[in-house]
């Protein structure tokens, strides 16, 4: 510990713990705390750089530094929070893009595609009543479109003189 070699110190504490001596339990726990404190102190500049990157909007750099920090100190709360925040923001952006595409599909009257986009949003965890209602409406519109297309096809068969094909299709509706 005095030489600031945390890894070596942790290995030696682990060896002491392996002895199973009850007298050493409190001492080894205290040593582990001291070593973790040293590690945290040594990693403060990296953590500060990670936080500055996040505040500056440098998401990739902040993510890279957070991963690096977690590889050195898995219990680092700041790095975990940064990664959670980045993932949450990324998910929100994906949802916004899918919502925009769903709206564009609705404008084109492509209800199948709209329903697909809305269903994907629901699987991403955004389950609002409004979104569920929009999905149900899009699915209903898509069903009506399919049924109308099938009926139009039968009418075109009938009009083209293909009466048998039209009647067969009608019985399958």
């Amino acid at each position: 510990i005095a030489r600031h070699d945390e890894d070596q110190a942790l290995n030696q504490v682990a060896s002491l713990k392996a002895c199973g001596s009850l007298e050493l339990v409190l001492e080894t726990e205290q040593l582990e705390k001291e070593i973790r404190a040293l590690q945290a102190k040594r990693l403060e500049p990296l953590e500060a750089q990670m936080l500055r990157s996040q505040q500056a909007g440098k998401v990739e750099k902040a993510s890279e530094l957070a991963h690096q920090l977690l590889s050195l100190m898995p219990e680092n709360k700041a790095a975990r929070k940064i990664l959670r925040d980045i993932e949450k923001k990324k998910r929100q952006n994906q949802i916004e893009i899918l919502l925009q595409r769903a709206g564009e599909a609705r404008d084109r009257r492509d209800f199948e595609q709209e329903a697909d986009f809305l269903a994907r949003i629901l699987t991403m965890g955004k389950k609002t009543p409004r979104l569920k209602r929009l999905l149900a409406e899009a699915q209903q519109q898509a069903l009506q479109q399919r049924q109308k297309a099938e009926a139009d096809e039968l009418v075109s068969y009938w009009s083209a003189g293909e009466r048998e094909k039209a009647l067969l299709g009608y019985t399958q509706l």
Side-chain angles (χ1 to χ4, degrees):
I1 294 174
R3 290 191 309 255
H4 300 286
D5 188 351
E6 296 94 10
D7 294 332
Q8 178 72 22
L10 281 174
N11 287 336
Q12 289 177 351
V13 168
S15 297
L16 284 173
K17 276 185 154 181
C19 292
S21 173
L22 293 176
E23 300 92 40
L24 296 176
V25 170
L26 290 176
E27 285 184 53
T28 55
E29 287 178 2
Q30 184 58 35
L31 286 172
E32 278 184 323
K33 286 181 185 176
E34 288 177 28
I35 294 166
R36 297 284 180 215
L38 283 173
Q39 283 180 323
K41 184 86 171 144
R42 182 175 50 91
L43 295 174
E44 280 178 1
L46 183 62
E47 187 174 320
Q49 184 182 3
M50 174 191 67
L51 293 171
R52 281 192 305 273
S53 294
Q54 182 201 28
Q55 290 169 350
K58 298 177 182 175
V59 177
E60 290 299 319
K61 184 67 175 174
S63 176
E64 177 187 317
L65 292 169
H67 283 291
Q68 184 180 351
L69 192 55
L70 286 173
S71 72
L72 299 169
M73 190 174 200
E75 65 274 6
N76 187 285
K77 290 179 183 177
R80 290 187 183 283
K81 183 181 182 319
I82 295 269
L83 291 176
R84 272 194 314 273
D85 291 348
I86 290 170
E87 188 57 39
K88 182 179 177 183
K89 182 72 171 165
K90 183 178 175 183
R91 190 175 132 276
Q92 287 172 337
N93 288 342
Q94 289 173 336
I95 288 172
E96 287 175 19
I97 289 168
L98 289 172
L99 278 171
Q100 180 181 354
R101 289 181 180 169
E104 291 167 357
R106 180 178 267 297
D107 292 345
R108 290 190 315 272
R109 303 193 51 76
D110 186 348
F111 299 111
E112 285 286 340
Q113 193 171 46
E114 178 191 12
D116 179 54
F117 288 135
L118 294 172
R120 286 171 52 192
I121 293 169
L122 282 171
T123 63
M124 294 175 76
K126 187 172 176 90
K127 294 180 167 83
T128 64
R130 178 180 174 273
L131 193 59
K132 290 177 182 178
R133 181 182 49 78
L134 287 173
L135 176 59
E137 289 173 7
Q139 289 170 330
Q140 182 62 34
Q141 291 281 1
L143 175 64
Q144 289 174 354
Q145 267 185 342
R146 282 192 305 273
Q147 290 172 338
K148 184 178 179 338
E150 289 171 0
D152 289 347
E153 183 180 31
L154 294 177
V155 168
S156 71
Y157 288 149
W158 187 268
S159 299
E162 298 181 49
R163 306 220 188 275
E164 188 176 314
K165 196 173 188 179
L167 291 172
L168 182 62
Y170 178 75
T171 59
Q172 293 175 351
L173 285 179

